[in-house]
Every structure is written in structure tokens, then in C-alpha cells.
């Protein structure tokens, strides 16, 4: 799986927050945290086929302007090369099956990176819980201050946190 494919899926999933000023809305109309997809309903496990089906349907519901159940290049907000990475049958449209396959490939790529010694991404937020960007930044600043005031010899952590908060 090419890294660009993962990038194109993540770009399409977050595109509405930049295009319309809104996050994705689920069937109940709720927005996900920070303009992302809505949280999974209780009982649906992240990374499961059911989760991919739920998220892909939400993506289609949000982007499918003409109501045909498919996402065209224009509706996707992606550039043509990114769009074509997901459009595996070459019909110029993204079906739910193509979107779900892309999500599964993205998840597999993340797991492969982890198995090769990379870092795992943070777990998905459930039920709208989690920190806002400003809350996370504030907590990182507090952690940085604590590390700097301690006699810790681990300057890598301190440097990493300094880079994260800018």
C-alpha cells in the first residue's frame, strides 16, 4: 500500500472541515471531534469491518451532493491523482466498497509501521471525549515545565515536547 493512498483517504475524510466549515455529520446529525468523522456508536469496535462500514457511509452521506450514493471527483475535494488511488475500478466514482477497502488498507499500513518499530497513532476518540488542541497544548506545556524543573537526564523527551508545542 502506498503512503499516498492513506493520505488521500485522510484528506477526503477531513476535507469538509476546510470546505464548508463543518465536520462530518453522522446519520443523527452529530459532528465528530475537531471536524473529523463522528464517533463510533457504542458497541462498534474501532478497526472492525462494521466500523469501516459506518465511517464510509457517513463519508458518503456528507459528500454525496447529488444523492447517487457515490462520490465523484468534484464531490470528494481531492486532486485527481489522490482520487484515482481510491477509485480502483476506474469508473470515476468512489463506491462504499472502494472507500471501505481504502480504510482497511490504511489500517493495515498503520499496523505494518507499528510492527516495524514505528509509533502507534493515538486511539480513536469515543463519544466525543478527548482533549481539544488547546487543552492538549496546555497539558504538554505543563509536562514540559515539570520535566525541565526536575533533575531528569532525559533531554530527548523535553526536546520532543518543545518541538510539539512550537
Amino acid at each position: 500500500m502506498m503512503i499516498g493512498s492513506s493520505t488521500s483517504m485522510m484528506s477526503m475524510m477531513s476535507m469538509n472541515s476546510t470546505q464548508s466549515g463543518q465536520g462530518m455529520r453522522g446519520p443523527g446529525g452529530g459532528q465528530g471531534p475537531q471536524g473529523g468523522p463522528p464517533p463510533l456508536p457504542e458497541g462498534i469496535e474501532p478497526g472492525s469491518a462494521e466500523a469501516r462500514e459506518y465511517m464510509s457511509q457517513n463519508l458518503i452521506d456528507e459528500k454525496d451532493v447529488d444523492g447517487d450514493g457515490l462520490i465523484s471527483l468534484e464531490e470528494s475535494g481531492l486532486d485527481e491523482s489522490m482520487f484515482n488511488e481510491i477509485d480502483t475500478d476506474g469508473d470515476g466514482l468512489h463506491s462504499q466498497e472502494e472507500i471501505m477497502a481504502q480504510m482497511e488498507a490504511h489500517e493495515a499500513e498503520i499496523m505494518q509501521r507499528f510492527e516495524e518499530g514505528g509509533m502507534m497513532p493515538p486511539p480513536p476518540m469515543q463519544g466525543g471525549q478527548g482533549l481539544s488542541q488547546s487543552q492538549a497544548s496546555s497539558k504538554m506545556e505543563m509536562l514540559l515545565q515539570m520535566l525541565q524543573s526536575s533533575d531528569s537526564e532525559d533531554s530527548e523527551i523535553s526536546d520532543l515536547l518543545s518541538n510539539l508545542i512550537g
Side-chain angles (χ1 to χ4, degrees), residues 4-156:
S5 298
S6 295
T7 304
S8 59
M9 178 57 63
M10 295 302 102
S11 296
M12 186 166 65
M13 292 180 75
S14 64
M15 192 62 69
N16 277 15
S17 61
T18 58
Q19 285 183 341
S20 67
Q22 299 177 356
M24 294 174 56
R25 290 184 294 273
Q31 286 182 264
Q34 299 178 359
L40 294 173
E42 195 167 315
I44 296 181
E45 292 295 318
S48 67
E50 192 176 10
R52 287 187 291 278
E53 182 176 358
Y54 178 82
M55 292 186 330
S56 63
Q57 187 60 55
N58 276 300
L59 184 63
I60 290 171
D61 291 347
E62 182 67 25
K63 294 201 167 280
D64 181 23
V65 176
D66 62 12
D68 64 356
L70 302 165
I71 299 175
S72 68
L73 173 62
E74 294 77 26
E75 291 169 326
S76 75
L78 298 173
D79 69 39
E80 190 170 356
S81 65
M82 293 174 89
F83 181 88
N84 290 338
E85 290 178 28
I86 299 169
D87 182 23
T88 55
D89 64 7
D91 67 353
L93 299 166
H94 290 170
S95 66
Q96 185 173 15
E97 291 76 21
E98 288 172 315
I99 294 168
M100 288 173 58
Q102 180 64 28
M103 288 176 176
E104 186 172 12
H106 176 70
E107 292 164 8
E109 182 181 336
I110 289 171
M111 289 308 297
Q112 181 181 2
R113 286 183 189 169
F114 174 69
E115 290 168 1
E116 292 171 353
M119 290 181 56
M120 280 295 282
M125 290 191 278
Q126 294 290 323
Q129 298 176 354
L131 299 176
S132 69
Q133 187 171 359
S134 63
Q135 290 170 320
S137 179
S138 174
K139 292 202 180 284
M140 287 193 309
E141 285 180 33
M142 284 180 13
L143 181 57
L144 179 59
Q145 289 172 358
M146 289 171 28
L147 284 170
Q148 289 173 340
S149 66
S150 73
D151 292 333
S152 173
E153 294 181 19
D154 193 358
S155 64
E156 283 185 43

